[in-house]
Amino acid sequence: FVHRDVKPANILLDGTGKVYLADFGIAATEQELSTSGGSPSGTLSYMAPERFDGWSDPRSDVYGLGLTLYELLTLRRAFDAPDRHRLMRKVAEEAPPAPRAIDPRIPRDLETIVLKAIEKEPAHRYAAAAQMEADLRRFVEGRPIGARRATATERVRLWCRRNPAVASLTALLLSILAAGTIVT
């Protein structure tokens, strides 16, 4: 099943340290989601971008877990805006600041795990929460994590796909500057 509203308020911790996921009001099985398309209900600040297109799968819950961990590490929400429309645009199109940009004491591998969990493209996220958990266990144990950091080229390519107009104008400007330099 897919919970579809993973957020800090729905994660409970008992006196022994055991974690529980609460509020299954909008949860659905994967079969129900494949036949209904799923409704984009839930908490916008923790909603995976694909939810705005009317679909979700276990990677959508991984996204919510990633944003919850992001908030625990940085002590702030990844996305915030004064109104619902701007918040939806930010969630769908913008990447939040990297956790280490907010607090450089955050270990690089932990940041990598969070950033993999909150990738805009579901295919680049952990396929299931169990994979994210395994990486977190490896991190805690001081072993190499399975997630890898995106290269600078991959980050630029993804940014260009999210911002095609700005990328096109930037490429045009760089071409004009290069031509001007060559002519000069």
Side-chain angles (χ1 to χ4, degrees):
F1 78 95
V2 180
H3 187 278
R4 299 194 298 169
D5 199 21
V6 176
K7 61 183 178 182
N10 288 340
I11 298 175
L12 307 174
L13 188 65
D14 71 11
T16 65
K18 190 169 182 176
V19 178
Y20 297 91
L21 188 56
D23 189 1
F24 289 81
I26 61 171
T29 66
E30 288 186 66
Q31 183 161 356
E32 290 170 336
L33 292 171
S34 68
T35 57
S36 71
S39 72
S41 57
T43 308
L44 285 177
S45 295
Y46 301 95
M47 195 176 288
E50 63 271 12
R51 297 281 314 285
F52 300 125
D53 294 330
W55 69 275
S56 59
D57 66 13
R59 297 171 296 185
S60 304
D61 285 348
V62 167
Y63 188 87
L65 286 171
L67 288 178
T68 299
L69 184 53
Y70 181 100
E71 190 169 326
L72 285 169
L73 292 171
T74 64
L75 303 177
R76 71 183 220 189
R77 283 186 174 182
F79 301 104
D80 206 5
D83 62 67
R84 182 176 175 84
H85 177 71
R86 282 188 226 167
L87 181 57
M88 288 174 67
R89 187 179 53 73
K90 277 187 165 188
V91 170
E93 299 171 4
E94 296 178 18
R100 286 175 49 85
I102 297 167
D103 184 352
R105 297 173 297 172
I106 295 171
R108 188 172 303 281
D109 281 350
L110 188 54
E111 177 186 62
T112 300
I113 292 168
V114 170
L115 294 177
K116 181 172 179 73
I118 64 172
E119 281 282 348
K120 294 290 183 198
E121 293 292 327
H124 296 140
R125 285 184 219 139
Y126 293 101
Q131 290 178 343
M132 183 177 172
E133 176 193 15
D135 251 2
L136 287 168
R137 285 190 189 280
R138 285 191 286 273
F139 168 76
V140 168
E141 294 166 357
R143 295 186 297 132
I145 61 171
R148 74 173 179 83
R149 296 184 69 77
T151 65
T153 304
E154 289 171 325
R155 287 193 303 269
V156 168
R157 183 178 47 80
L158 291 172
W159 179 85
C160 289
R161 274 202 347 218
R162 284 193 314 271
N163 304 288
V166 176
S168 297
L169 289 173
T170 302
L172 178 63
L173 179 62
L174 289 175
S175 297
I176 291 170
L177 287 173
T181 302
I182 291 170
V183 169
T184 302

